[in-house]
Amino acid sequence: MAGNYTCEATNTFYDNTQGVGRSTTYLDVHFEPTVQRSHFSDEVEADIGVNATLVCVMSASPSPTFVWQKDGQQITTSSEETIEGTETTSKLIVAFVTKEDYGDYVSTATNYVSEDQCRIKLVGRRGVSAGGIAGIVFGLLIVIGVALALGYYWYRRRKNSPEQTEEQGTSLGSELKHIGKDNDEDKGHY
């Protein structure tokens, strides 16, 4: 919108001669910041431990200044949060999201004409994350490994135990039948 504009006027005088007048001037139209909703999301999903980027896009002239807030407190650049931007865009990068980072964020864009705000909610990702699935698979592998190790341990223990005498028989519990050596009555499949 801002730029050099030229106005040209042509006139024919009474004696059929023509006159031309030309004037050029610089014009800069100033207007208030206005949220460009099609360029950002009202809600950003992020898993715990990953980075989240919240973006606010405004149309304004002159360019606005941006201020980010969470819970009414102004956010400044730190090791956990970085603010980047261009003339009409501001990005808040939340590093290594924690549960405490979830909530409502407000970016206020201001120029001398007026101000406008972007409101963005940072939420946890819905559903099971890749990290959650990996944790479940890892847990199942541990359970299977422990079960196999215990099974092998009991198998080796039974295999290496001394032969039991005929009087003792084999006892795996109170429900099992006493099986003696060379007793025709006890022959068969068990």
Side-chain angles (χ1 to χ4, degrees), residues 29-169:
V29 178
H30 292 183
F31 57 95
E32 71 277 356
T34 305
V35 175
Q36 302 298 299
R37 300 216 180 275
S38 62
H39 296 287
F40 76 95
S41 175
D42 290 338
E43 187 173 281
V44 174
E45 292 182 356
D47 290 328
I48 290 176
V50 301
N51 292 352
T53 302
L54 287 64
V55 180
C56 179
V57 180
M58 294 282 181
S59 174
S61 180
S63 298
T65 57
F66 291 88
V67 174
W68 283 92
Q69 293 180 320
K70 180 177 187 287
D71 300 328
Q73 299 296 316
Q74 183 173 340
I75 298 170
T76 57
T77 296
S78 68
S79 60
E80 293 86 28
E81 296 158 329
T82 305
I83 299 172
E84 299 176 351
T86 63
E87 289 184 358
T88 57
T89 302
S90 182
K91 295 179 184 179
L92 173 64
I93 301 166
V94 182
F96 308 108
V97 171
T98 66
K99 209 173 201 180
E100 291 75 29
D101 292 321
Y102 294 141
D104 296 318
Y105 289 79
V106 176
S107 176
T108 303
T110 306
N111 67 13
Y112 81 91
V113 180
S114 188
E115 68 179 36
D116 200 1
Q117 295 180 329
C118 294
R119 296 183 179 278
I120 304 171
K121 182 180 278 292
L122 179 59
V123 297
R125 192 171 300 276
R126 293 169 180 89
V128 180
S129 67
I133 292 172
I136 291 169
V137 169
F138 184 71
L140 287 173
L141 290 174
I142 288 175
V143 169
I144 291 169
V146 168
L148 288 172
L150 285 173
Y152 181 73
Y153 169 77
W154 287 108
Y155 167 77
R156 296 291 293 172
R157 186 170 173 208
R158 297 272 306 140
K159 186 175 178 184
N160 293 334
S161 68
E163 285 293 317
Q164 296 181 346
T165 63
E166 187 175 323
E167 294 84 38
Q168 290 176 323

Side-chain angles (χ1 to χ4, degrees), residues 5-16:
Y5 289 84
T6 301
C7 179
E8 184 175 286
T10 306
N11 191 10
T12 305
F13 297 107
Y14 66 92
D15 63 353
N16 284 334

